[in-house]
Amino acid sequence: AYTVSGKVDARALPDPFAADDSSTASAMVARTASATADPVTRAVAEVWSRVLAIPPERLDEEADFHRLGGDSLALLSMLAGVSHDLLARGGEEEFMANLLTIIDKPTLSRVAQLARTAGAVG
């Protein structure tokens, strides 16, 4: 929907944090990155939280960086944050070699898995 002046009506956009009808509140809490036992996923969620200004408990493992409002500049900030906070020297190159994969499907679980493969420690 558009406003009278032809701009996108932000109020008409769906809430990116609203749970779909198939999800219950307890299922959402069980899937959040904060509730997961994986320290790498929690650390990536913390980076996303800083970059996107979203509480980490609102991020589940299937959270999509772009759908949460992340643009290309925010994506670069997120990649830099993950590289700085989680990866040892040398791991950054392996992590960044997956840039196209990350851009294609930037979910929290995928970024965490790629960071883990590049040697991330939580």
Side-chain angles (χ1 to χ4, degrees):
Y2 294 93
T3 63
V4 184
S5 62
K7 296 180 180 178
V8 173
D9 184 358
R11 290 174 293 175
L13 295 173
D15 181 359
F17 300 112
D20 62 21
D21 294 337
S22 65
S23 298
T24 63
S26 60
M28 289 297 287
V29 169
R31 288 185 359 219
T32 62
S34 308
T36 187
D38 177 28
V40 173
T41 303
R42 282 195 309 266
V44 172
E46 289 294 327
V47 172
W48 284 35
S49 174
R50 282 194 317 263
V51 171
L52 297 171
I54 296 172
E57 59 273 5
R58 295 191 85 174
L59 300 170
D60 67 26
E61 291 189 13
E62 294 309 310
D64 183 289
F65 192 81
H66 296 310
R67 287 186 162 194
L68 294 170
D71 58 16
S72 58
L73 185 57
L75 182 75
L76 292 174
S77 293
M78 179 270 289
L79 295 170
V82 169
S83 294
H84 179 268
D85 293 0
L86 281 83
L87 302 175
R89 186 165 291 184
E92 296 173 0
E93 187 174 329
E94 184 178 345
F95 179 67
M96 292 305 290
N98 294 296
L99 182 59
L100 293 177
T101 302
I102 295 169
I103 291 170
D104 181 50
K105 187 177 179 190
T107 62
L108 185 64
S109 61
R110 177 170 280 188
V111 173
Q113 185 266 328
L114 292 170
R116 199 175 299 105
T117 301
V121 289

